[in-house]
Amino acid sequence: MTVTPAAITIDIVVYPGFKAMEAVGPMSVFEYANLHLQRRGHPPGYDVRIASCQAGPVRSDTLMSLDATKALDPLALPDNAIIVGARHIREALVDSAAIIAWVAAVAPRIKALTALCSGAFFLAAAGVLDGKRATTHWSVAERLQAEYPAIEVDADAIFLRSGNVWTSAGVTAGIDLALALVEEDYGRDLALEVATEMVVYLKRPGGQSQFSAHLLSERTTRPTIRELQNWILEHLDEKLTVAQLAQRAMMSERHFARVFQQEVGLSTQEFIELCRFERATQLLADLALPLKTVAARACFTDEAHMRRVFMKKLGITPRVYRERFATTGVDG
């Protein structure tokens, strides 16, 4: 790793009502990166500033305010501008319209533009995301696609990169994205040190789903389907057929399949595959097990079956996933 004397400048762009955690999370990642660089005898790698339309205190969505030490200026560009999201993004776009104008003005010249969560709407309104693949929080993804059809919205991804533009899903995804930036700038070892200090994974893969099987279970409104989902999670080692599951739910197969899809947003087989995939990622990240053993414990038919699922969901093999995200030394 070669660290140049000139630190990478990052402006975290805030405005009244911004999500506090989306600003503080990435800011902490870069601060820890600086600390670990200094421990290695290097100068700080990041120069992070809080920027807004005007300098001064900016109230977040909580009791906390951040002091913007820099007013947005199209002539004073950082290397990367990170625009955070808001609970009430529609109002924020109106009240902080100057940010949209600033983004449009600097987009052709800035090295990188990053939007966290609903902050993607600022980039979209400035035309920066046209023709690009982008993500945002699942709750506003449909709206982003409807209002800006020129964007290829991926409502499922944790974070995405399209050229020099980065977008992410909700609050904790901003930490994943910030760790990805550290890894790109200064290497995997530093990113891993930061992740360890913050007690998080090095980073979740950007293409990984915003939803886990457990979250999908919690969001289900029908108690019968929710109980069935929990039962599936406990019986992944069995051959689970639609007929068997419909019988447990005391419904006809046709009615059950329709209700499950409506409630969960996935077919039963898609949900079962997600459960097995998530179990495999946990085993790969935490245990030095042979891949065949991981496949068996995750209840896949065999290692080849597990590989196909990983390629479909992440575009990488289980072995590559382990190399990138394992928390212990392993030999797969």
Side-chain angles (χ1 to χ4, degrees):
M1 179 186 69
T2 301
V3 180
T4 60
I8 296 169
T9 55
I10 294 181
D11 285 359
I12 297 178
V13 181
V14 300
Y15 46 86
F18 72 93
K19 287 186 178 180
M21 285 187 66
E22 288 182 10
V24 173
M27 186 165 50
S28 298
V29 169
F30 300 129
E31 177 62 23
Y32 278 117
N34 283 342
L35 289 173
H36 281 276
L37 284 170
Q38 289 176 313
R39 289 173 185 172
R40 298 179 180 187
H42 298 297
Y46 293 101
D47 177 11
V48 181
R49 292 164 291 187
I50 303 298
S52 191
C53 296
Q54 297 178 347
V58 183
R59 180 71 176 266
S60 72
D61 61 338
T62 69
L63 296 176
M64 184 182 74
S65 295
L66 289 181
D67 188 17
T69 59
K70 178 182 177 183
L72 294 175
D73 182 348
L75 299 179
L77 297 185
D79 293 313
N80 190 350
I82 299 178
I83 303 174
V84 303
R87 292 185 191 178
H88 307 292
I89 190 60
R90 189 182 298 276
E91 292 85 345
L93 291 170
V94 175
D95 297 339
S96 303
I99 295 177
I100 300 172
W102 179 84
V103 169
V106 305
R109 297 179 286 117
I110 197 168
K111 289 183 180 178
L113 275 171
T114 301
L116 307 182
C117 192
S118 57
F121 279 83
F122 285 100
L123 271 58
V128 171
L129 297 180
D130 288 355
K132 291 182 171 64
R133 187 163 167 252
T135 191
T136 187
H137 193 273
W138 62 267
S139 65
V140 292
E142 286 187 9
R143 180 183 156 197
L144 182 66
Q145 186 67 84
E147 295 185 6
Y148 303 98
I151 304 171
E152 182 187 348
V153 178
D154 185 340
D156 206 33
I158 289 176
F159 67 85
L160 292 172
R161 180 183 186 179
S162 184
N164 69 331
V165 176
W166 299 71
T167 52
S168 82
V171 176
T172 58
I175 294 175
D176 294 301
L177 192 155
L179 286 167
L181 292 171
V182 171
E183 182 173 1
E184 178 171 271
D185 295 334
Y186 296 109
R188 184 180 187 276
D189 288 346
L190 181 65
L192 181 57
E193 289 177 16
V194 173
T196 301
E197 182 114 8
M198 296 182 69
V199 198
V200 296
Y201 286 122
L202 170 55
K203 66 178 189 295
R204 292 173 291 176
Q208 186 171 315
S209 175
Q210 294 184 35
F211 301 105
S212 70
H214 292 279
L215 279 177
L216 289 172
S217 176
E218 291 299 320
R219 294 175 63 217
T220 304
T221 58
R222 291 196 182 203
T224 301
I225 299 299
R226 186 164 57 249
E227 291 170 7
L228 182 63
Q229 287 174 286
N230 292 330
W231 185 86
I232 289 172
L233 285 164
E234 296 172 358
H235 294 81
L236 289 177
D237 57 324
E238 299 181 17
K239 185 178 180 180
L240 303 172
T241 65
V242 174
Q244 176 191 9
L245 297 174
Q247 185 176 15
R248 288 195 63 86
M250 294 182 289
M251 300 180 189
S252 68
E253 288 186 35
R254 185 175 179 181
H255 180 58
F256 166 73
R258 183 170 59 252
V259 170
F260 194 94
Q261 180 78 42
Q262 289 174 343
E263 286 288 313
V264 184
L266 301 172
S267 69
T268 55
Q269 293 309 307
E270 288 171 335
F271 179 76
I272 292 167
E273 183 178 88
L274 174 63
C275 294
R276 288 171 174 158
F277 167 76
E278 289 186 352
R279 182 174 293 183
T281 61
Q282 293 167 3
L283 292 168
L284 288 167
D286 296 333
L287 298 175
L289 295 172
L291 294 181
K292 288 184 180 180
T293 304
V294 171
R297 291 194 181 182
C299 305
F300 286 106
T301 305
D302 51 29
E303 186 180 339
H305 180 201
M306 180 173 71
R307 179 188 176 95
R308 289 194 299 273
V309 171
F310 268 73
M311 289 300 297
K312 180 174 72 173
K313 290 188 174 296
L314 298 179
I316 59 175
T317 65
R319 185 182 299 277
V320 172
Y321 181 95
R322 165 173 277 174
E323 290 171 353
R324 292 186 185 178
F325 308 113
T327 57
T328 61
V330 295
D331 181 11

